[in-house]
């Protein structure tokens, strides 16, 4: 581990952790959306928009903090990349919620719940990992676990798509495939975060 000559400011890591926490909260809201009648979708989608707006506010606060801080716990480009991937994941969760409401879908495959469980676990691990980025020695397990979960998400997505092709007709398949794609893309963004952390570990070792 490289010797750090200056004290580190933890505020940036706290903001990254808060962004990851918003993904945990948003995943819970999306799970709720998938389990209610279409008449209740719009109310919950507004909650999702609020989560997305909060994530954007946190990213803006992080960018402001990086510009005004003399010392940051990580290189600015790494902190920016992490914030961008976190915000990208949030935007996709928001889009998935909006598509559910627009398409008025009320019944989903169990695979949707499986994907949300994976996303929630990835996000929970990431909340803790973002707090610990100024001590990289114990983050390799995080990196490996997120990659394992991402592979599981890819397999779940393939089975979900195969089931849809077998059980659904054209328009219904297209609508459900849109949502499935958004969810697997969230897991890919979470994987990008872990890969960025892996890159930081390598650079700082």
């Amino acid at each position: 581990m490289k010797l750090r000559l200056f004290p580190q400011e933890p505020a940036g890591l706290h903001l990254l952790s808060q962004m990851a926490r918003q993904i945990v909260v948003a995943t819970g809201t999306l799970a709720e959306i998938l389990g209610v009648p279409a008449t209740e979708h719009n109310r919950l989608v507004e909650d999702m928009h609020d989560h997305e707006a909060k994530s954007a506010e946190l990213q803006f606060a992080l960018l402001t903090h990086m510009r005004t801080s003399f010392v940051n716990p990580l290189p600015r480009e790494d902190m920016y990349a992490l914030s961008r991937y976190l915000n990208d994941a949030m935007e996709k969760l928001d889009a998935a919620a909006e598509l559910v409401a627009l398409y008025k879908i009320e019944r989903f495959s169990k695979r949707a719940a499986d994907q949300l469980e994976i996303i929630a676990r990835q996000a929970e691990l990431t909340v803790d990992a973002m707090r610990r980025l100024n001590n990289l020695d114990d983050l390799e397990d995080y990196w490996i676990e997120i990659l394992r979960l991402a592979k599981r998400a890819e397999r779940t997505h393939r089975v979900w798509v195969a089931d849809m092709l077998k059980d659904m007709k054209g328009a219904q398949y297209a609508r459900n495939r849109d949502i499935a794609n958004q969810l697997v893309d969230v897991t890919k963004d979470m994987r990008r975060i872990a890969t960025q952390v892996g890159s930081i570990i390598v650079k700082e070792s």
Side-chain angles (χ1 to χ4, degrees):
M1 182 67 62
K2 289 183 180 177
L3 176 65
R4 299 190 183 277
L5 300 178
F6 301 98
Q8 303 302 311
E9 297 185 23
L13 303 187
H14 179 65
L15 289 166
L16 287 171
S17 183
Q18 284 185 299
M19 290 184 72
R21 174 59 61 188
Q22 286 301 116
I23 295 173
V24 175
V25 174
T27 303
T29 300
L30 185 53
E32 193 176 351
I33 290 171
L34 299 188
V36 301
T39 54
E40 297 185 43
H41 285 166
N42 288 338
R43 171 181 60 84
L44 291 167
V45 168
E46 286 304 312
D47 289 344
M48 285 294 291
H49 292 336
D50 289 342
H51 301 327
E52 192 277 330
K54 177 64 173 177
S55 177
E57 289 171 6
L58 290 167
Q59 186 184 32
F60 182 76
L62 176 64
L63 297 179
T64 301
H65 173 74
M66 287 191 296
R67 287 198 306 270
T68 57
S69 296
F70 177 69
V71 177
N72 286 287
L74 297 170
R76 286 177 170 84
E77 59 270 23
D78 288 321
M79 294 180 71
Y80 172 73
L82 291 168
S83 72
R84 181 165 62 87
Y85 297 143
L86 285 163
N87 201 53
D88 286 349
M90 174 59 72
E91 288 178 351
K92 292 180 178 74
L93 284 170
D94 186 44
E98 192 163 33
L99 286 171
V100 172
L102 289 171
Y103 294 157
K104 295 181 171 58
I105 300 175
E106 293 186 321
R107 297 182 64 186
F108 282 89
S109 164
K110 178 184 177 295
R111 308 298 174 187
D114 291 343
Q115 291 295 59
L116 288 177
E117 179 187 343
I118 292 169
I119 293 167
R121 182 58 181 154
Q122 286 179 317
E124 288 164 357
L125 291 169
T126 302
V127 170
D128 184 54
M130 294 300 98
R131 292 195 197 106
R132 295 187 288 126
L133 282 170
N134 56 355
N135 181 15
L136 300 171
D137 289 334
D138 55 351
L139 282 179
E140 286 190 23
D141 288 345
Y142 158 75
W143 179 17
I144 293 167
E145 180 63 9
I146 293 292
L147 298 184
R148 186 192 70 78
L149 288 166
K151 289 179 182 178
R152 180 180 150 198
E154 292 277 6
R155 289 193 295 271
T156 298
H157 181 70
R158 288 191 290 270
V159 173
W160 189 2
V161 170
D163 288 345
M164 287 190 284
L165 281 169
K166 180 178 65 176
D167 299 333
M168 298 178 183
K169 296 184 178 178
Q172 185 186 15
Y173 166 79
R175 290 192 292 269
N176 281 267
R177 178 70 185 263
D178 280 350
I179 295 161
N181 287 348
Q182 290 289 338
L183 295 184
V184 77
D185 284 348
V186 174
T187 70
K188 291 177 182 177
D189 284 331
M190 302 307 292
R191 179 174 184 159
R192 290 184 182 100
I193 294 163
T195 300
Q196 190 74 29
V197 170
S199 174
I200 294 167
I201 291 171
V202 171
K203 287 189 294 186
E204 294 289 311
S205 63

